Amino acid sequence: MSYLKAVLKKDNEQKKQALQKLIILGEKLNKDTTTDKKKLEILLQKENKTLGKEVSKPKKQTNTKNTQIQTSTKNKIESVYTVENNIVISYSKEVTKDDVLRFFELKNDSATKDVYDLKGNFPFARDTKLSIKGVDKVVVGQFKAYTLRIVIANKRNLKTSYMVDRKQIIISIDDLTVKKKVETKPNKKVINPSIKENNFIDTKNSIRTLYTQDNKVIVEFNKNISKKDVNYVTYKNKGFIDEVFDIKGKFKFAKPIKLEMNGIYKISVGQVKPNTLRLRLSNKKDLKLIYVVNKRQLVIKILNITPTSTSKAINPQYNIFKDKVIVIDPGHGKHDVGAIGPNKRYEKVVTLKVSKQLYTMLKKRGYKVYLTRHNDKFIKVRNRTLLANKKNADIFISIHANAIAKSRANKVSGIETFFLSPARSERAKRVAAKENSVDIRKMSNSTKAAFLESLNRPRITASHKLAIDVQAGLLQSVKKSYKGVNDSGVREGPFWVLVGAQMPSILVELGYMSHPIESKRLYSSKYQKLLAKGIANGIDSYFLKNP
């Protein structure tokens, strides 16, 4: 009836709206809407003469009916707007590059036009007026029933490009200088090293951590993800607009972690299902955002808020680390070079460099950290725990590298972590004998008694837990960049360097100096940094579970 009234009144705008409603209703009821689409297309042709060449007369439709019905349901355009030098076209469902039908350039004496034809129907195309500073004219029009046309007209020929991101097509004017309200130089000082190294780090589940940085929310994963693992919806909720991301995966710190960002009223994180983490951004004004999935990272960028130096991830337990004392023991030193690899690669060099890297990382995370040696210095094994006991350390970590006979050097490699206990395997006995060799002595009765007494303490259980977390952190860190790193596991062993420690203590074997490939990696600064980061992450995980 509404369409007939519009025909009688000769009101084209009412005709168009009535036809659009008829098409949507017809498709929901699985009716043939071909006639209505033809009528709508003829009306749109008359309206959009200014957008480019005249539309050719529609061809006879044979098998295209079903295609058009699918297109209309999949390609409803919800909004078109500009942010700085970008034109953002938001769809109700996911789009692909195939939804960018064509791009061409028109030139005449007065202007150059970049024309984008996009698949989709936008009911408000006629009423949408866009402008970008530095561009003479931006025109939006429904070129065909299911083709939206964007025309960027300018006297100077502008370079434009586009990207497709889940439910958005973003057209960018690449060579346009946009003057930002906030200076960029101060913002380069935004990030405190402790922000990115978030202490809520989950090394066991698929989601590693979450934090905010400037005008971005960043979710990091322990494995590669795709856009299929992220579902994004937006809706109104009691005067607020909620941007909701349901992310496939589990994050064990979903409850304690708190995020905030200047310009956003509230950011909520919750594990709504065993394998679904929900991230909700609530605000009174509509947020214009884009998000990108890149291997092990999801980045959500809010385009219409100003990045500031106060945006950060708030960790309510961040201060727990300031009271934790850690003593790091770089194994060997001076004349005691430790294991020797090809081309005279010395264990004592690797252990000191990794220990120094670890020292710096832990200091930045708020720990009190001490090294048993800062340079090429020899310290007797029995004296290495003295500093830890003197400083009343919470944990003691001795850093080493392994080795094996030349006959098996090419076959044996891997990372392993030991805690103090009587050796139960030949492998553990062999490793312990190597590390204890510099301080060979016979056990007196008193020494045996002290050794056995130390094994009866609850700290052995704590040492085991620490070893598990550090081993897991090491493997996750290095395997991101290096293939073929072997997990030699967590083992028990009678190491003299751990006997005197009055706190949970472990000995880490970073790899085999005897292995030709692994020894080369151990001398690489990049690999050393990854090893240090892995140990640091393991320590974080241990203290979060055992405060």
Side-chain angles (χ1 to χ4, degrees), residues 6 10 32 34 53 110 135 170 186 196 216 238 262 291 308 326 444 451 471-472 474 503:
K10 296 183 179 180
D32 186 358
T34 305
K53 295 180 180 180
S110 60
V135 179
I170 302 165
K196 192 164 184 179
K216 297 186 287 290
K238 297 180 181 180
N262 279 5
Y291 64 96
T308 67
I326 300 171
S444 64
F451 179 74
Q471 179 74 5
L474 277 163
M503 69 291 300

Side-chain angles (χ1 to χ4, degrees), residues 326-330 355 358 362 372 395-399 466 470 498 504-508 535 539:
I326 300 171
V327 171
I328 305 165
D329 172 43
S355 296
L358 178 60
L362 293 174
T372 57
I395 59 173
F396 174 80
I397 298 180
S398 191
I399 307 295
L466 175 61
V470 167
L498 304 180
S505 53
I506 60 172
L507 184 143
V508 180
I535 297 172
I539 292 170

Side-chain angles (χ1 to χ4, degrees), residues 270-286:
Q271 194 74 44
V272 294
K273 291 181 181 179
N275 200 36
T276 302
L277 183 77
R278 177 164 290 173
L279 176 65
R280 184 194 307 269
L281 288 75
S282 300
N283 215 51
K284 288 192 174 182
K285 69 174 185 177
D286 190 14

